Amino acid sequence: MSSLDSRSEAVIVLVSLLILLTLTEMWFSYRENRKYYEKRDTLTNVYLTSLAFILNLAVNGSTFFLLHLAWQFRLFEIHNAFWYWFVLVITQDFLYWVLHYTGHYCRLFWAMHVTHHSSEHFNFTTGFRSTVFEPLYRTFFYLPLALMGFNAVDILYAYLVTQLYGNMVHTQYKVPLPKWYGWIFVTPAHHRVHHASNIPYLDKNMGMVLIIWDRLFGTFHDEDADEPVKYGLTHQPDDMGPVNVIFHEWKALIADVNKAPGLGNKLKYLFNPPGWSHDGSTQTARVLQKEYKKVS
């Protein structure tokens, strides 16, 4: 029981810290007239995270069931407490990177993840701009953890703690960090790049806590002073109402599938990266980046 109590206390401290940082950033932004916050945008962020929270509660039982079921077939167990938590956090962070990568390179998942990138502002509340439907599929990416002998409670606790860290890098303020830190961990500068709509920055820096995955797999990009970050999407929706923010990409995806000739092309619209088109009328981020390099 004391273990659960200490975990609850740790979560309360981290959440309280995040709320305090958000209010402090908001106050400095208004005092210095930086315009990092905009009322409607902030309310949309709160609305989206509230929906995600409700959906998380709704699927909580099935999440535990699936993770516990997989745990019954665990391949091994780590008994040393230090190595248990070290391997759990590192592996969970890698699997999050895989989940996040999938959200950027498979249009079906991008239709759900796009809400998180739809804001033209970047602040601590942008981290609350949740991928609303992620609780419906996130568990399947974490099943390998259960097979590795990690129980459901520990998996979800590790996810929550790393998620809170991920929220804390959503800031435009320049945070002085030692150079070595940015070689290993995600920094606000890294995550500003991730939220950019500039062509060179698209689909970069997808780590939650560790930036080493992006460095290893070729999705890393440093923030460049000569390429100021422009936040939002490459094609921003005209209607930024809360309902359209969630469903606008679904509408576009369905329209593309309907007009696509043949089953093969219809499936490619679902599973190829965003921007792919059967007639070449739109391009993926990688194609755009190749063309950008040619002319720059």
Side-chain angles (χ1 to χ4, degrees):
M1 187 69 180
S2 60
S3 176
L4 286 175
D5 289 342
S6 62
R7 291 181 190 181
S8 299
E9 289 172 3
V11 170
I12 290 170
V13 169
L14 289 171
V15 171
S16 300
L17 175 61
L18 180 57
I19 292 172
L20 180 61
L21 285 171
T22 302
L23 294 174
T24 302
E25 182 188 55
M26 194 178 292
W27 183 75
F28 273 108
S29 173
Y30 281 113
R31 193 188 76 165
E32 298 168 355
N33 197 31
R34 291 178 178 263
K35 296 182 170 56
Y36 289 165
Y37 286 81
E38 190 272 327
K39 183 178 179 181
R40 184 182 180 186
D41 181 79
T42 301
L43 290 174
T44 299
N45 295 340
V46 173
Y47 158 80
L48 290 170
T49 202
S50 299
L51 289 181
F53 178 75
I54 292 168
L55 191 55
N56 267 297
L57 290 179
V59 302
N60 203 38
S62 60
T63 297
F64 272 91
F65 173 78
L66 288 170
L67 290 173
H68 185 69
L69 180 64
W71 182 77
Q72 301 298 317
F73 300 94
R74 58 196 180 276
L75 303 175
F76 57 86
E77 290 186 54
I78 300 174
H79 297 287
N80 179 279
F82 171 81
W83 287 110
Y84 178 93
W85 283 103
F86 180 81
V87 174
L88 172 55
V89 171
I90 297 296
T91 310
Q92 184 270 322
D93 193 64
F94 170 69
L95 292 174
Y96 172 81
W97 182 90
V98 174
L99 182 157
H100 202 175
Y101 182 94
T102 304
H104 279 256
Y105 284 93
C106 173
R107 192 174 174 193
L108 180 63
F109 287 94
W110 173 247
M112 293 178 273
H113 184 58
V114 69
T115 55
H116 184 62
H117 286 267
S118 59
S119 176
E120 294 180 283
H121 300 269
F122 188 75
N123 52 61
F124 283 128
T125 69
T126 310
F128 304 145
R129 201 178 187 95
S130 300
T131 301
V132 174
F133 297 114
E134 188 177 290
L136 297 176
Y137 59 87
R138 180 176 60 223
T139 305
F140 296 99
F141 284 84
Y142 292 145
L143 288 179
L145 293 171
L147 294 173
M148 292 171 65
F150 301 108
N151 67 57
V153 173
D154 292 342
I155 292 170
L156 295 177
Y157 180 70
Y159 170 77
L160 178 59
V161 171
T162 55
Q163 183 73 39
L164 288 170
Y165 179 90
N167 274 85
M168 291 180 185
V169 296
H170 288 80
T171 181
Q172 291 188 58
Y173 279 97
K174 311 298 182 186
V175 181
L177 294 167
K179 191 171 183 179
W180 66 263
Y181 189 93
W183 276 96
I184 303 169
F185 298 101
V186 174
T187 68
H190 296 151
H191 210 63
R192 287 194 290 268
V193 166
H194 179 69
H195 275 262
S197 62
N198 313 51
I199 289 175
Y201 293 155
L202 296 176
D203 301 335
K204 302 298 183 183
N205 301 354
M206 287 180 276
M208 175 77 82
V209 175
L210 300 173
I211 199 65
I212 56 176
W213 314 123
D214 293 290
R215 293 186 183 276
L216 284 172
F217 299 115
T219 53
F220 176 76
H221 201 299
D222 241 328
E223 189 176 33
D224 186 352
D226 294 328
E227 183 74 45
V229 171
K230 182 178 184 296
Y231 299 106
L233 303 171
T234 53
H235 300 289
Q236 203 70 15
D238 293 328
D239 177 7
M240 288 300 291
V243 175
N244 196 57
V245 164
I246 297 174
F247 292 109
H248 73 274
E249 182 62 17
W250 283 105
K251 296 174 186 175
L253 176 57
I254 291 169
D256 285 340
V257 169
N258 286 337
K259 75 179 182 183
L263 178 62
N265 283 317
K266 292 181 186 298
L267 291 174
K268 286 177 181 178
Y269 271 111
L270 290 173
F271 298 110
N272 276 5
W276 179 87
S277 57
H278 72 280
D279 57 3
S281 57
T282 56
Q283 304 292 340
T284 66
R286 284 179 174 171
V287 172
L288 292 174
Q289 286 164 349
K290 286 179 182 178
E291 293 177 350
Y292 181 88
K293 285 180 180 178
K294 288 179 183 177
V295 298
S296 61

